[in-house]
Structure formats: C-alpha cells, structure tokens
Amino acid sequence: MIVGLVLIVLSVAAAVTAVAFNGSGAGHEITAFGQHVANANDMQIFLGGIVIALVFCLGVWMVAVAGRRRRAARADYRTARREANDAARERDRLAEQLSTQQEITQREQDTTVIGRRHDHDVTS
C-alpha cells in the first residue's frame, strides 16, 4: 500500500512539474535539480505523459488491492473472534452443566451413604 501511495505521489508530482514548466517550441529542455538532463520533442513528451499515467494507475491499483486484502483480513479476524466467543460460551455452558451434574451425583451419594449408615446403626 505504501509503495502504491509513493507511486501516486511521484506521478502527480512529475505531471505537475511537466505542466508547470511547459515550454513552447519544437524542442523542450528537461532539467532536474537545476541540471540539464535532455532535450525532448513533442512525441517524447507525449509518451512520457503516458508513462506517468500508467505509473499513476499502477499506484491506484496497488492501493485498491491492499485495501481489499485488509478488508478480507479484518473480516476473517471478526469471524475468528466470533467463533472463539461462541466456543467460550459453549465451554461455559458445558462447565455449568457438568457442575450441576456433579452436584446432583454428590447429593445422591450423600443420601445413599446416610441411609446405609442409618440402616446399619438401627440393626446393630
């Protein structure tokens, strides 16, 4: 995504610079940082504009793909979090059910032991 944004910024800067320093006549002098780089004719300037537009489109495409990936990753994260919450609720429900079942079993055992002990005391 960052590379796409850099490409967009650079292509816009190049286009603005080309338009701002547009000279007249058949030959155009191209300078960079105050140094003469080359001379270009109208066809070369036109093709340079096409290249700048393609770089801009590549940057926009890269940003769009990164955005789609980010949305998909967030959706996957939300789904995983929702499943984890559902699993935690199911775990808590089963733990409660197990606890209740253990209490019932313990009461039954206590009742059985008390009844037997009472029977044993009476017959002795």
Side-chain angles (χ1 to χ4, degrees), residues 4-86:
L5 290 173
V6 168
L7 289 176
I8 291 170
V9 169
L10 289 177
S11 64
V12 168
V16 167
T17 303
V19 170
F21 297 109
N22 187 13
S24 60
H28 301 279
E29 185 177 318
I30 300 173
T31 59
F33 303 108
Q35 299 292 321
H36 173 73
V37 177
N39 289 330
N41 61 24
D42 289 337
M43 181 56 78
Q44 291 169 332
I45 298 291
F46 178 74
L47 292 176
I50 289 175
V51 169
I52 289 173
L54 289 175
V55 169
F56 178 80
C57 290
L58 177 65
V60 169
W61 176 77
M62 291 173 84
V63 169
V65 167
R68 269 188 252 129
R69 259 192 216 137
R70 183 184 298 157
R71 280 191 300 275
R74 268 192 254 144
D76 290 344
Y77 177 73
R78 279 193 302 267
T79 301
R81 206 167 66 189
R82 193 175 309 120
E83 288 174 358
N85 288 338
D86 291 345

